Amino acid sequence: AQSVTQPDIHITVSEGASLELRCNYSYGATPYLFWYVQSPGQGLQLLLKYFSGDTLVQGIKGFEAEFKRSQSSFNLRKPSVHWSDAAEYFCAVGRLGNEKLTFGTGTRLTIIP
Amino acid sequence: DAGITQSPRHKVTETGTPVTLRCHQTENHRYMYWYRQDPGHGLRLIHYSYGVKDTDKGEVSDGYSVSRSKTEDFLLTLESATSSQTSVYFCAISEANEQYFGPGTRLTVT
């Protein structure tokens, strides 16, 4: 069975600083990997996805993520965070031929001035 | 915007009462999902549908049933609500292996 671990429950970053959110997955074959963002009181918005090919993927709002098969990781990064990036971030894993996703428990990001 | 609406957006109900949540989509997506979101658990799949009248259980399906009599609507029913079903419920659709979510329904069972 596939699973996702987001080891950081809560991260605090200063505005303008760089950000890295961790995601580790467990799955035997090549996974489909996703990052979603959820602002308070809102639904989830897809930030970026990895299906195949280039292991560094670019997403919306200046985010990027890198797929590292050897580390079973798909970490999310942003070079300089903005106060509007404060939200909860979810990593998810799926696979070819299966339309179900498994989500991590989320990382809450707080931005301090 | 994947054209997903959920109703109601907020509901308070009493233990033991039946509750039905509705998910409506406007773009003829085949796959639809119901998740619940709880602190410390992320999103957990309750049920999903892969077509009209075709549904299957997710990881937390006990106490829930679903129905899909037409492509655009996916209903989630709590036959007899319990306090443990207090949660935020999200509907989602899938398009090319990407899932898109509705705005959510906050359900409180007292």
Side-chain angles (χ1 to χ4, degrees):
Chain A
Q2 58 202 37
S3 66
V4 178
T5 301
Q6 293 181 248
D8 302 306
I9 296 173
H10 187 201
I11 285 183
T12 300
V13 177
S14 297
E15 189 168 16
S18 63
L19 171 70
E20 182 168 27
L21 302 183
R22 296 184 291 164
C23 172
N24 293 98
Y25 68 90
S26 173
Y27 180 61
T30 300
Y32 289 175
L33 294 159
F34 306 83
W35 276 100
Y36 286 85
V37 61
Q38 183 182 32
S39 298
Q42 304 296 313
L44 278 74
Q45 181 183 22
L46 179 63
L47 276 178
L48 48 76
K49 63 184 183 289
Y50 171 78
F51 285 175
S52 65
D54 193 346
T55 57
L56 183 64
V57 293
Q58 303 296 321
I60 62 172
K61 306 185 181 189
F63 285 92
E64 66 178 27
E66 186 171 13
F67 171 58
K68 293 186 177 180
R69 183 188 301 276
S70 62
Q71 299 177 19
S72 297
S73 69
F74 188 58
N75 294 348
L76 182 71
R77 301 193 295 246
K78 188 170 185 179
S80 177
V81 297
H82 185 262
W83 63 266
S84 60
D85 294 324
E88 189 150 21
Y89 292 80
F90 292 93
C91 183
V93 63
R95 63 181 171 88
L96 177 65
N98 186 325
E99 296 283 340
K100 293 191 289 184
L101 297 182
T102 299
F103 284 82
T105 53
T107 297
R108 181 171 301 280
L109 176 64
T110 297
I111 308 295
I112 55 177
Chain B
D1 184 356
I4 305 168
T5 57
Q6 294 184 231
S7 58
R9 294 292 314 279
H10 301 270
K11 186 170 182 66
V12 179
T13 192
E14 293 184 348
T15 299
T17 60
V19 177
T20 295
L21 308 183
R22 180 182 184 236
C23 178
H24 180 77
Q25 54 125 338
T26 59
E27 299 182 1
N28 285 320
H29 296 290
R30 177 184 174 193
Y31 290 89
M32 299 184 74
Y33 309 80
W34 276 108
Y35 292 89
R36 60 177 291 172
Q37 183 179 26
D38 304 287
H41 292 278
L43 277 81
R44 293 179 291 174
L45 182 64
I46 305 171
H47 281 280
Y48 66 102
S49 170
Y50 44 97
V52 173
K53 298 191 188 304
D54 291 323
T55 65
D56 205 349
K57 297 178 180 180
E59 62 178 299
V60 290
S61 59
D62 287 349
Y64 301 94
S65 63
V66 290
S67 66
R68 193 168 179 199
S69 59
K70 44 185 178 176
T71 299
E72 58 266 36
D73 288 326
F74 191 32
L75 304 181
L76 177 71
T77 297
L78 291 65
E79 301 290 350
S80 178
T82 67
S83 58
S84 65
Q85 293 176 312
T86 291
S87 187
V88 181
Y89 292 86
F90 286 99
C91 174
I93 61 90
S94 180
E95 178 178 329
N97 287 104
E98 297 177 15
Q99 290 192 14
Y100 297 90
F101 288 80
T105 294
R106 182 173 296 276
L107 176 67
T108 303
V109 183
T110 61

